[in-house]
PDB file of all heavy atoms in Angstrom:
ATOM      1  N   LEU A1551     -10.076 -16.672 -13.516  1.00 79.00           N
ATOM      2  CA  LEU A1551      -9.578 -18.012 -13.827  1.00 79.00           C
ATOM      3  C   LEU A1551     -10.677 -18.879 -14.432  1.00 79.00           C
ATOM      4  O   LEU A1551     -10.439 -19.656 -15.360  1.00 79.00           O
ATOM      5  CB  LEU A1551      -9.036 -18.666 -12.554  1.00 79.00           C
ATOM      6  CG  LEU A1551      -7.696 -18.097 -12.051  1.00 79.00           C
ATOM      7  CD1 LEU A1551      -7.462 -18.485 -10.605  1.00 79.00           C
ATOM      8  CD2 LEU A1551      -6.546 -18.567 -12.930  1.00 79.00           C
ATOM      9  N   SER A1596      -9.462 -28.804 -16.937  1.00 45.00           N
ATOM     10  CA  SER A1596      -8.350 -28.589 -16.014  1.00 45.00           C
ATOM     11  C   SER A1596      -8.764 -27.755 -14.815  1.00 45.00           C
ATOM     12  O   SER A1596      -7.949 -27.084 -14.204  1.00 45.00           O
ATOM     13  CB  SER A1596      -7.202 -27.883 -16.737  1.00 45.00           C
ATOM     14  OG  SER A1596      -7.642 -26.628 -17.234  1.00 45.00           O
ATOM     15  N   ALA A1599      -6.714 -28.254 -11.893  1.00 53.00           N
ATOM     16  CA  ALA A1599      -5.272 -28.160 -12.100  1.00 53.00           C
ATOM     17  C   ALA A1599      -4.819 -26.714 -12.014  1.00 53.00           C
ATOM     18  O   ALA A1599      -5.617 -25.788 -12.006  1.00 53.00           O
ATOM     19  CB  ALA A1599      -4.899 -28.741 -13.470  1.00 53.00           C
ATOM     20  N   VAL A1600      -3.502 -26.510 -11.927  1.00 57.00           N
ATOM     21  CA  VAL A1600      -2.960 -25.151 -11.941  1.00 57.00           C
ATOM     22  C   VAL A1600      -3.159 -24.560 -13.330  1.00 57.00           C
ATOM     23  O   VAL A1600      -2.723 -25.128 -14.331  1.00 57.00           O
ATOM     24  CB  VAL A1600      -1.465 -25.173 -11.565  1.00 57.00           C
ATOM     25  CG1 VAL A1600      -0.861 -23.789 -11.766  1.00 57.00           C
ATOM     26  CG2 VAL A1600      -1.287 -25.626 -10.125  1.00 57.00           C
ATOM     27  N   LYS A1601      -3.840 -23.423 -13.388  1.00 80.00           N
ATOM     28  CA  LYS A1601      -4.143 -22.813 -14.680  1.00 80.00           C
ATOM     29  C   LYS A1601      -3.142 -21.725 -15.055  1.00 80.00           C
ATOM     30  O   LYS A1601      -2.842 -21.530 -16.213  1.00 80.00           O
ATOM     31  CB  LYS A1601      -5.550 -22.211 -14.644  1.00 80.00           C
ATOM     32  CG  LYS A1601      -6.654 -23.218 -14.360  1.00 80.00           C
ATOM     33  CD  LYS A1601      -7.942 -22.486 -14.053  1.00 80.00           C
ATOM     34  CE  LYS A1601      -9.023 -23.464 -13.611  1.00 80.00           C
ATOM     35  NZ  LYS A1601     -10.200 -22.768 -13.072  1.00 80.00           N
ATOM     36  N   LYS A1602      -2.677 -21.002 -14.069  1.00 90.00           N
ATOM     37  CA  LYS A1602      -1.777 -19.887 -14.341  1.00 90.00           C
ATOM     38  C   LYS A1602      -0.623 -19.888 -13.352  1.00 90.00           C
ATOM     39  O   LYS A1602      -0.753 -20.328 -12.209  1.00 90.00           O
ATOM     40  CB  LYS A1602      -2.520 -18.555 -14.227  1.00 90.00           C
ATOM     41  CG  LYS A1602      -3.550 -18.305 -15.320  1.00 90.00           C
ATOM     42  CD  LYS A1602      -2.889 -17.971 -16.649  1.00 90.00           C
ATOM     43  CE  LYS A1602      -3.946 -17.639 -17.709  1.00 90.00           C
ATOM     44  NZ  LYS A1602      -3.317 -17.286 -18.998  1.00 90.00           N
ATOM     45  N   GLU A1603       0.508 -19.381 -13.819  1.00 95.00           N
ATOM     46  CA  GLU A1603       1.654 -19.170 -12.951  1.00 95.00           C
ATOM     47  C   GLU A1603       1.859 -17.666 -12.804  1.00 95.00           C
ATOM     48  O   GLU A1603       1.812 -16.932 -13.797  1.00 95.00           O
ATOM     49  CB  GLU A1603       2.899 -19.828 -13.539  1.00 95.00           C
ATOM     50  CG  GLU A1603       2.782 -21.340 -13.658  1.00 95.00           C
ATOM     51  CD  GLU A1603       4.028 -21.988 -14.223  1.00 95.00           C
ATOM     52  OE1 GLU A1603       5.052 -21.278 -14.380  1.00 95.00           O
ATOM     53  OE2 GLU A1603       3.993 -23.200 -14.510  1.00 95.00           O
ATOM     54  N   VAL A1604       2.044 -17.211 -11.573  1.00 97.00           N
ATOM     55  CA  VAL A1604       2.246 -15.790 -11.287  1.00 97.00           C
ATOM     56  C   VAL A1604       3.599 -15.618 -10.615  1.00 97.00           C
ATOM     57  O   VAL A1604       3.913 -16.318  -9.639  1.00 97.00           O
ATOM     58  CB  VAL A1604       1.129 -15.238 -10.379  1.00 97.00           C
ATOM     59  CG1 VAL A1604       1.427 -13.793  -9.980  1.00 97.00           C
ATOM     60  CG2 VAL A1604      -0.222 -15.326 -11.067  1.00 97.00           C
ATOM     61  N   VAL A1605       4.398 -14.696 -11.143  1.00 97.00           N
ATOM     62  CA  VAL A1605       5.699 -14.380 -10.555  1.00 97.00           C
ATOM     63  C   VAL A1605       5.668 -12.921 -10.122  1.00 97.00           C
ATOM     64  O   VAL A1605       5.540 -12.018 -10.958  1.00 97.00           O
ATOM     65  CB  VAL A1605       6.848 -14.605 -11.556  1.00 97.00           C
ATOM     66  CG1 VAL A1605       8.190 -14.327 -10.872  1.00 97.00           C
ATOM     67  CG2 VAL A1605       6.812 -16.016 -12.122  1.00 97.00           C
ATOM     68  N   ARG A1632      -5.420 -22.576  -5.107  1.00 85.00           N
ATOM     69  CA  ARG A1632      -4.811 -23.791  -5.662  1.00 85.00           C
ATOM     70  C   ARG A1632      -4.671 -23.760  -7.175  1.00 85.00           C
ATOM     71  O   ARG A1632      -3.843 -24.468  -7.749  1.00 85.00           O
ATOM     72  CB  ARG A1632      -5.625 -25.011  -5.235  1.00 85.00           C
ATOM     73  CG  ARG A1632      -5.407 -25.389  -3.779  1.00 85.00           C
ATOM     74  CD  ARG A1632      -6.176 -26.627  -3.403  1.00 85.00           C
ATOM     75  NE  ARG A1632      -7.620 -26.384  -3.374  1.00 85.00           N
ATOM     76  CZ  ARG A1632      -8.519 -27.307  -3.071  1.00 85.00           C
ATOM     77  NH1 ARG A1632      -8.131 -28.539  -2.804  1.00 85.00           N
ATOM     78  NH2 ARG A1632      -9.804 -27.012  -3.046  1.00 85.00           N
ATOM     79  N   SER A1633      -5.467 -22.933  -7.843  1.00 87.00           N
ATOM     80  CA  SER A1633      -5.378 -22.868  -9.303  1.00 87.00           C
ATOM     81  C   SER A1633      -4.290 -21.908  -9.782  1.00 87.00           C
ATOM     82  O   SER A1633      -4.122 -21.713 -10.983  1.00 87.00           O
ATOM     83  CB  SER A1633      -6.729 -22.466  -9.890  1.00 87.00           C
ATOM     84  OG  SER A1633      -7.213 -21.291  -9.265  1.00 87.00           O
ATOM     85  N   LEU A1634      -3.559 -21.299  -8.846  1.00 92.00           N
ATOM     86  CA  LEU A1634      -2.429 -20.440  -9.185  1.00 92.00           C
ATOM     87  C   LEU A1634      -1.151 -21.019  -8.597  1.00 92.00           C
ATOM     88  O   LEU A1634      -1.138 -21.514  -7.475  1.00 92.00           O
ATOM     89  CB  LEU A1634      -2.629 -19.022  -8.618  1.00 92.00           C
ATOM     90  CG  LEU A1634      -3.639 -18.104  -9.300  1.00 92.00           C
ATOM     91  CD1 LEU A1634      -3.736 -16.792  -8.532  1.00 92.00           C
ATOM     92  CD2 LEU A1634      -3.246 -17.833 -10.747  1.00 92.00           C
ATOM     93  N   ASP A1635      -0.092 -20.960  -9.366  1.00 94.00           N
ATOM     94  CA  ASP A1635       1.243 -21.306  -8.869  1.00 94.00           C
ATOM     95  C   ASP A1635       1.986 -19.989  -8.721  1.00 94.00           C
ATOM     96  O   ASP A1635       2.358 -19.356  -9.712  1.00 94.00           O
ATOM     97  CB  ASP A1635       1.954 -22.232  -9.855  1.00 94.00           C
ATOM     98  CG  ASP A1635       3.325 -22.653  -9.349  1.00 94.00           C
ATOM     99  OD1 ASP A1635       3.632 -22.375  -8.172  1.00 94.00           O
ATOM    100  OD2 ASP A1635       4.092 -23.237 -10.125  1.00 94.00           O
ATOM    101  N   THR A1636       2.173 -19.548  -7.479  1.00 96.00           N
ATOM    102  CA  THR A1636       2.694 -18.201  -7.210  1.00 96.00           C
ATOM    103  C   THR A1636       4.118 -18.265  -6.696  1.00 96.00           C
ATOM    104  O   THR A1636       4.435 -19.062  -5.806  1.00 96.00           O
ATOM    105  CB  THR A1636       1.801 -17.478  -6.181  1.00 96.00           C
ATOM    106  OG1 THR A1636       0.453 -17.448  -6.652  1.00 96.00           O
ATOM    107  CG2 THR A1636       2.292 -16.054  -5.954  1.00 96.00           C
ATOM    108  N   ARG A1637       4.965 -17.416  -7.245  1.00 97.00           N
ATOM    109  CA  ARG A1637       6.351 -17.267  -6.779  1.00 97.00           C
ATOM    110  C   ARG A1637       6.565 -15.820  -6.363  1.00 97.00           C
ATOM    111  O   ARG A1637       5.991 -14.904  -6.954  1.00 97.00           O
ATOM    112  CB  ARG A1637       7.345 -17.638  -7.885  1.00 97.00           C
ATOM    113  CG  ARG A1637       7.275 -19.090  -8.328  1.00 97.00           C
ATOM    114  CD  ARG A1637       8.044 -19.279  -9.625  1.00 97.00           C
ATOM    115  NE  ARG A1637       9.439 -18.873  -9.496  1.00 97.00           N
ATOM    116  CZ  ARG A1637      10.229 -18.532 -10.520  1.00 97.00           C
ATOM    117  NH1 ARG A1637       9.739 -18.549 -11.755  1.00 97.00           N
ATOM    118  NH2 ARG A1637      11.467 -18.192 -10.328  1.00 97.00           N
ATOM    119  N   GLN A1678      12.993 -15.358 -15.295  1.00 97.00           N
ATOM    120  CA  GLN A1678      12.867 -15.947 -16.628  1.00 97.00           C
ATOM    121  C   GLN A1678      13.335 -17.395 -16.646  1.00 97.00           C
ATOM    122  O   GLN A1678      12.734 -18.252 -17.323  1.00 97.00           O
ATOM    123  CB  GLN A1678      13.686 -15.118 -17.623  1.00 97.00           C
ATOM    124  CG  GLN A1678      13.525 -15.515 -19.079  1.00 97.00           C
ATOM    125  CD  GLN A1678      14.370 -14.633 -19.999  1.00 97.00           C
ATOM    126  OE1 GLN A1678      15.362 -14.037 -19.565  1.00 97.00           O
ATOM    127  NE2 GLN A1678      13.976 -14.534 -21.250  1.00 97.00           N
ATOM    128  N   SER A1679      14.349 -17.708 -15.865  1.00 96.00           N
ATOM    129  CA  SER A1679      14.901 -19.068 -15.863  1.00 96.00           C
ATOM    130  C   SER A1679      13.923 -20.085 -15.279  1.00 96.00           C
ATOM    131  O   SER A1679      14.050 -21.280 -15.530  1.00 96.00           O
ATOM    132  CB  SER A1679      16.207 -19.104 -15.064  1.00 96.00           C
ATOM    133  OG  SER A1679      15.962 -18.864 -13.683  1.00 96.00           O
ATOM    134  N   GLY A1680      12.944 -19.621 -14.493  1.00 95.00           N
ATOM    135  CA  GLY A1680      12.002 -20.551 -13.882  1.00 95.00           C
ATOM    136  C   GLY A1680      10.662 -20.639 -14.586  1.00 95.00           C
ATOM    137  O   GLY A1680       9.747 -21.309 -14.086  1.00 95.00           O
ATOM    138  N   ILE A1681      10.527 -19.999 -15.739  1.00 96.00           N
ATOM    139  CA  ILE A1681       9.254 -20.025 -16.465  1.00 96.00           C
ATOM    140  C   ILE A1681       9.211 -21.250 -17.373  1.00 96.00           C
ATOM    141  O   ILE A1681      10.030 -21.397 -18.284  1.00 96.00           O
ATOM    142  CB  ILE A1681       9.069 -18.733 -17.288  1.00 96.00           C
ATOM    143  CG1 ILE A1681       8.955 -17.535 -16.349  1.00 96.00           C
ATOM    144  CG2 ILE A1681       7.824 -18.829 -18.176  1.00 96.00           C
ATOM    145  CD1 ILE A1681       8.887 -16.189 -17.062  1.00 96.00           C
ATOM    146  N   ASN A1682       8.243 -22.126 -17.129  1.00 93.00           N
ATOM    147  CA  ASN A1682       8.102 -23.352 -17.927  1.00 93.00           C
ATOM    148  C   ASN A1682       6.926 -23.292 -18.905  1.00 93.00           C
ATOM    149  O   ASN A1682       6.920 -24.010 -19.900  1.00 93.00           O
ATOM    150  CB  ASN A1682       7.926 -24.557 -16.993  1.00 93.00           C
ATOM    151  CG  ASN A1682       9.115 -24.763 -16.081  1.00 93.00           C
ATOM    152  OD1 ASN A1682      10.259 -24.737 -16.526  1.00 93.00           O
ATOM    153  ND2 ASN A1682       8.846 -24.952 -14.786  1.00 93.00           N
ATOM    154  N   ARG A1683       5.927 -22.475 -18.590  1.00 94.00           N
ATOM    155  CA  ARG A1683       4.750 -22.365 -19.459  1.00 94.00           C
ATOM    156  C   ARG A1683       4.520 -20.885 -19.770  1.00 94.00           C
ATOM    157  O   ARG A1683       3.660 -20.238 -19.168  1.00 94.00           O
ATOM    158  CB  ARG A1683       3.520 -22.961 -18.764  1.00 94.00           C
ATOM    159  CG  ARG A1683       3.671 -24.444 -18.411  1.00 94.00           C
ATOM    160  CD  ARG A1683       2.321 -24.994 -17.922  1.00 94.00           C
ATOM    161  NE  ARG A1683       1.852 -24.304 -16.739  1.00 94.00           N
ATOM    162  CZ  ARG A1683       0.571 -24.045 -16.464  1.00 94.00           C
ATOM    163  NH1 ARG A1683      -0.378 -24.402 -17.322  1.00 94.00           N
ATOM    164  NH2 ARG A1683       0.222 -23.446 -15.338  1.00 94.00           N
ATOM    165  N   PRO A1684       5.286 -20.327 -20.700  1.00 95.00           N
ATOM    166  CA  PRO A1684       5.218 -18.881 -20.938  1.00 95.00           C
ATOM    167  C   PRO A1684       3.812 -18.363 -21.219  1.00 95.00           C
ATOM    168  O   PRO A1684       3.417 -17.305 -20.706  1.00 95.00           O
ATOM    169  CB  PRO A1684       6.140 -18.682 -22.157  1.00 95.00           C
ATOM    170  CG  PRO A1684       7.052 -19.845 -22.131  1.00 95.00           C
ATOM    171  CD  PRO A1684       6.267 -20.987 -21.585  1.00 95.00           C
ATOM    172  N   ALA A1685       3.049 -19.087 -22.029  1.00 93.00           N
ATOM    173  CA  ALA A1685       1.715 -18.616 -22.404  1.00 93.00           C
ATOM    174  C   ALA A1685       0.745 -18.615 -21.231  1.00 93.00           C
ATOM    175  O   ALA A1685      -0.317 -17.999 -21.303  1.00 93.00           O
ATOM    176  CB  ALA A1685       1.154 -19.470 -23.544  1.00 93.00           C
ATOM    177  N   GLU A1686       1.106 -19.307 -20.138  1.00 93.00           N
ATOM    178  CA  GLU A1686       0.232 -19.370 -18.966  1.00 93.00           C
ATOM    179  C   GLU A1686       0.849 -18.654 -17.768  1.00 93.00           C
ATOM    180  O   GLU A1686       0.470 -18.896 -16.627  1.00 93.00           O
ATOM    181  CB  GLU A1686      -0.032 -20.840 -18.592  1.00 93.00           C
ATOM    182  CG  GLU A1686      -0.651 -21.665 -19.690  1.00 93.00           C
ATOM    183  CD  GLU A1686      -2.021 -21.120 -20.100  1.00 93.00           C
ATOM    184  OE1 GLU A1686      -2.745 -20.613 -19.228  1.00 93.00           O
ATOM    185  OE2 GLU A1686      -2.348 -21.191 -21.303  1.00 93.00           O
ATOM    186  N   THR A1687       1.790 -17.754 -18.037  1.00 96.00           N
ATOM    187  CA  THR A1687       2.529 -17.097 -16.960  1.00 96.00           C
ATOM    188  C   THR A1687       2.315 -15.589 -16.972  1.00 96.00           C
ATOM    189  O   THR A1687       2.320 -14.956 -18.031  1.00 96.00           O
ATOM    190  CB  THR A1687       4.038 -17.398 -17.078  1.00 96.00           C
ATOM    191  OG1 THR A1687       4.234 -18.816 -16.993  1.00 96.00           O
ATOM    192  CG2 THR A1687       4.822 -16.717 -15.966  1.00 96.00           C
ATOM    193  N   VAL A1688       2.131 -15.027 -15.777  1.00 97.00           N
ATOM    194  CA  VAL A1688       2.047 -13.579 -15.592  1.00 97.00           C
ATOM    195  C   VAL A1688       3.220 -13.159 -14.711  1.00 97.00           C
ATOM    196  O   VAL A1688       3.379 -13.676 -13.595  1.00 97.00           O
ATOM    197  CB  VAL A1688       0.722 -13.160 -14.918  1.00 97.00           C
ATOM    198  CG1 VAL A1688       0.695 -11.651 -14.683  1.00 97.00           C
ATOM    199  CG2 VAL A1688      -0.474 -13.602 -15.753  1.00 97.00           C
ATOM    200  N   VAL A1689       4.054 -12.262 -15.214  1.00 98.00           N
ATOM    201  CA  VAL A1689       5.161 -11.710 -14.431  1.00 98.00           C
ATOM    202  C   VAL A1689       4.802 -10.280 -14.047  1.00 98.00           C
ATOM    203  O   VAL A1689       4.475  -9.458 -14.906  1.00 98.00           O
ATOM    204  CB  VAL A1689       6.483 -11.726 -15.222  1.00 98.00           C
ATOM    205  CG1 VAL A1689       7.585 -10.990 -14.442  1.00 98.00           C
ATOM    206  CG2 VAL A1689       6.916 -13.158 -15.511  1.00 98.00           C
ATOM    207  N   MET A1711      10.499 -12.309 -23.030  1.00 97.00           N
ATOM    208  CA  MET A1711       9.376 -12.917 -22.311  1.00 97.00           C
ATOM    209  C   MET A1711       8.056 -12.603 -23.005  1.00 97.00           C
ATOM    210  O   MET A1711       7.192 -13.478 -23.150  1.00 97.00           O
ATOM    211  CB  MET A1711       9.362 -12.438 -20.850  1.00 97.00           C
ATOM    212  CG  MET A1711      10.399 -13.133 -19.971  1.00 97.00           C
ATOM    213  SD  MET A1711      10.237 -12.753 -18.208  1.00 97.00           S
ATOM    214  CE  MET A1711      11.232 -11.271 -18.104  1.00 97.00           C
ATOM    215  N   ALA A1714       7.627 -14.737 -26.040  1.00 96.00           N
ATOM    216  CA  ALA A1714       7.335 -16.138 -25.717  1.00 96.00           C
ATOM    217  C   ALA A1714       5.899 -16.339 -25.253  1.00 96.00           C
ATOM    218  O   ALA A1714       5.458 -17.473 -25.103  1.00 96.00           O
ATOM    219  CB  ALA A1714       8.306 -16.631 -24.646  1.00 96.00           C
ATOM    220  N   GLY A1715       5.191 -15.238 -25.011  1.00 95.00           N
ATOM    221  CA  GLY A1715       3.793 -15.346 -24.597  1.00 95.00           C
ATOM    222  C   GLY A1715       3.523 -14.981 -23.158  1.00 95.00           C
ATOM    223  O   GLY A1715       2.390 -15.070 -22.687  1.00 95.00           O
ATOM    224  N   VAL A1716       4.545 -14.548 -22.421  1.00 97.00           N
ATOM    225  CA  VAL A1716       4.370 -14.147 -21.029  1.00 97.00           C
ATOM    226  C   VAL A1716       3.590 -12.838 -20.966  1.00 97.00           C
ATOM    227  O   VAL A1716       3.859 -11.906 -21.736  1.00 97.00           O
ATOM    228  CB  VAL A1716       5.735 -13.983 -20.319  1.00 97.00           C
ATOM    229  CG1 VAL A1716       5.560 -13.371 -18.936  1.00 97.00           C
ATOM    230  CG2 VAL A1716       6.454 -15.317 -20.239  1.00 97.00           C
ATOM    231  N   GLU A1717       2.622 -12.770 -20.067  1.00 96.00           N
ATOM    232  CA  GLU A1717       1.925 -11.503 -19.798  1.00 96.00           C
ATOM    233  C   GLU A1717       2.767 -10.744 -18.785  1.00 96.00           C
ATOM    234  O   GLU A1717       2.980 -11.210 -17.658  1.00 96.00           O
ATOM    235  CB  GLU A1717       0.526 -11.772 -19.237  1.00 96.00           C
ATOM    236  CG  GLU A1717      -0.340 -10.536 -19.127  1.00 96.00           C
ATOM    237  CD  GLU A1717      -0.797 -10.012 -20.477  1.00 96.00           C
ATOM    238  OE1 GLU A1717      -0.904 -10.818 -21.434  1.00 96.00           O
ATOM    239  OE2 GLU A1717      -1.033  -8.794 -20.583  1.00 96.00           O
TER     240      GLU A1717
END
Side-chain angles (χ1 to χ4, degrees):
L1551 287 163
S1596 60
V1600 172
K1601 300 168 186 170
K1602 291 286 184 179
E1603 297 181 8
V1604 175
V1605 183
R1632 285 182 290 180
S1633 52
L1634 286 177
D1635 182 10
T1636 304
R1637 297 167 58 202
Q1678 187 180 23
S1679 67
I1681 295 175
N1682 299 313
R1683 300 189 299 145
E1686 302 299 325
T1687 300
V1688 177
V1689 173
M1711 282 188 273
V1716 172
E1717 189 71 27

